[in-house]
Amino acid sequence: MPSSASPAVSVTTPATALRATRRRELPPRLAYLHAGAVIGIALFASATPSPLYEVYRAEWGFSTFMLTVVYALYALGVLTALLLVGRISDEVGRRPVLLASLSALLVATGLFLAADGLGWLIAARTLQGLATGAALGAASAALLELHPRRDPDSAGLANGVFSAGGMASGALIAALLVQYAPAPERLPYVVLLVLFGVLLAGAAAMPEPVADRRPLRIQPQRPSVPPAIRRRFLLAGLGVLSSWSIGGIFLSLGPSLVAHLLETDNHLSGGIAMTALAGSGAVAQVLFHRAAPWRAASLGSIALAGGMAVIVAAISSDVAWLFFVGAVVAGMGFGVAFLGGLRQLMAVVPDHHRAEVMSAFYVVAYAALSVPALLAGLVVRSWGQVTTFQVFGAAVFVLALVVAVEAWRTRPGAEAPVVAA
């Protein structure tokens, strides 16, 4: 009798546990939205400190150059994470990487909350960058794998809208809280703690889309793209290079420039400027997501160049309303150019290289975001903010036109030279 009871226990218990585990998993559609929310909230958090930089600078007495260094440390942290662990979720799974990175984002937010000097700010921003880099590669790959129809176009659109929408809402909501809410140096981070806590709970219940997992290996990696998709990656890289380069300048110097143009110390002005850029980018992606990817990258870059020219003209002539018009035009170009390249890339990424390729994509993005901001910080003391923005704005204008031409040359049937492997 005992011998017949034992097998019953050994068979029933694992089955019951498996059913319980499945009951705790997020439904597929909710898991898909959760992956997009990780991208959006991570970029929301990246923009949250922006309205506070001038407050920190006035309170703690550091220079404008150090302000841009603090900003650039975030982007360098993202790059470091992408290079060290960019492909790790292809090996160990999306869920473990999301759990670890969201936990680190909670710690980074706690550091912001406790910050009382420049050293705390540097530590918080660097950890935030490292955690965001790990989260973006895993979440972007999961977004395609968890899509109800596994549709790369829809997943690419969602990625772009969550990215731009996160940056826009982060800057605007943080500016509102800093300007009008109590405890302006604390409350924005309390909001982030709640958001990341919800995301962490969701990640714990997320189904794991990677079936073939391998042992953990953490080692330096160079960005790698399979040879078969390098032409598509080139187009995606061109789109993000032109579009995100303007974001770095806006996030680091935009708030103080807008305050100068409007002759105000209201922190909301900088948040509105960032929302005009990134928010119009999110809207444009929804409106023009059916355009051919090469056409979107080319025409979007032309719009980006035109918007940048208007912004530079507004700064040169001290016309505030023109600055916001230029930001909307540039933002629409930024959104369409970014989405065009991303859609084409997501359609061809091999299953076992998704996180690796998306990490390489974000390496290009964050290099475009950080390098111009850091260079601007080096020269802003001697050139001044207006001249610095004019010079770097002109550089973005030229870069966007180059990208527009190169994207056009990748159109179907064109005899386009491709960057060699």
Side-chain angles (χ1 to χ4, degrees):
M1 192 69 176
S3 62
S4 62
S6 179
V9 173
S10 65
V11 171
T12 303
T13 302
T16 303
L18 181 59
R19 284 195 297 271
T21 300
R22 284 177 176 166
R23 281 197 300 271
R24 288 196 298 268
E25 282 187 354
L26 295 176
R29 188 173 296 277
L30 191 56
Y32 167 74
L33 292 174
H34 179 270
V38 170
I39 296 170
I41 300 302
L43 292 174
F44 178 104
S46 76
T48 295
S50 188
L52 281 164
Y53 283 153
E54 284 300 316
V55 176
Y56 291 143
R57 190 163 72 92
E59 189 173 311
W60 299 335
F62 57 85
S63 66
T64 303
F65 170 68
M66 284 307 302
L67 187 154
T68 55
V69 167
V70 168
Y71 171 77
L73 282 172
Y74 162 79
L76 292 174
V78 174
L79 289 172
T80 300
L82 293 172
L83 292 171
L84 287 176
V85 297
R87 69 167 70 104
I88 197 172
S89 74
D90 286 333
E91 299 176 352
V92 303
R94 314 298 180 213
R95 199 167 68 95
V97 174
L98 289 176
L99 287 170
S101 57
L102 288 169
S103 298
L105 281 167
L106 275 170
V107 174
T109 305
L111 292 176
F112 277 119
L113 193 59
D116 60 1
L118 182 59
W120 284 82
L121 192 59
I122 288 173
R125 199 65 167 145
T126 303
L127 180 58
Q128 185 186 52
L130 290 167
T132 300
L136 286 177
S140 296
L143 197 64
L144 177 57
E145 293 162 336
L146 295 170
H147 189 276
R149 300 184 308 277
R150 294 180 71 87
D151 176 15
D153 276 358
S154 297
L157 174 63
N159 193 316
V161 171
F162 276 115
S163 297
M167 291 176 68
S169 57
L172 182 61
I173 291 173
L176 283 168
L177 293 176
V178 169
Q179 186 63 41
Y180 299 113
E185 295 174 51
R186 302 288 180 259
L187 188 58
Y189 302 117
V190 172
V191 172
L192 282 182
L193 284 175
V194 173
L195 292 174
F196 283 131
V198 172
L199 288 179
L200 185 63
M206 197 178 89
E208 176 53 65
V210 177
D212 182 21
R213 283 173 278 175
R214 297 181 289 278
L216 174 64
R217 294 179 302 166
I218 299 180
Q219 57 187 16
Q221 311 162 15
R222 68 180 180 89
S224 178
V225 179
I229 66 167
R230 284 181 183 167
R231 181 169 181 173
R232 300 291 183 94
F233 186 86
L234 170 64
L235 178 58
L238 290 173
V240 76
L241 187 65
S242 63
S243 57
W244 281 45
S245 57
I246 190 176
I249 302 297
F250 254 74
L251 282 170
S252 57
L253 297 179
S256 53
L257 259 177
V258 174
H260 165 77
L261 281 174
L262 295 176
E263 298 180 348
T264 180
D265 58 0
N266 191 312
H267 297 287
L268 186 58
S269 60
I272 292 174
M274 190 63 212
T275 302
L277 181 78
S280 61
V283 172
Q285 290 176 12
V286 175
L287 294 177
F288 300 108
H289 71 277
R290 295 190 183 279
W294 60 269
R295 191 187 303 275
S298 183
L299 297 182
S301 294
I302 291 173
L304 174 60
M308 197 70 243
V310 172
I311 292 171
V312 170
I315 293 172
S316 302
S317 56
D318 246 359
V319 181
W321 66 265
L322 193 60
F323 180 93
F324 288 98
V325 170
V328 170
V329 174
M332 294 185 72
F334 142 73
V336 174
F338 175 80
L339 179 63
L342 183 60
R343 277 177 53 215
Q344 196 170 45
L345 179 63
M346 292 189 79
V348 297
V349 177
D351 288 354
H352 295 298
H353 295 277
R354 284 204 179 102
E356 179 181 359
V357 172
M358 293 311 301
S359 294
F361 173 78
Y362 278 112
V363 165
V364 177
Y366 276 92
L369 200 66
S370 59
V371 173
L374 193 55
L375 292 176
L378 288 171
V379 301
V380 69
R381 178 177 293 180
S382 56
W383 291 2
Q385 289 185 345
V386 172
T387 302
T388 299
F389 200 97
Q390 288 171 334
V391 171
F392 280 84
V396 171
F397 173 83
V398 172
L399 174 61
L401 290 182
V402 171
V403 170
V405 171
E406 289 301 314
W408 182 264
R409 293 170 70 185
T410 64
R411 70 192 186 279
E415 297 296 327
V418 182
V419 171

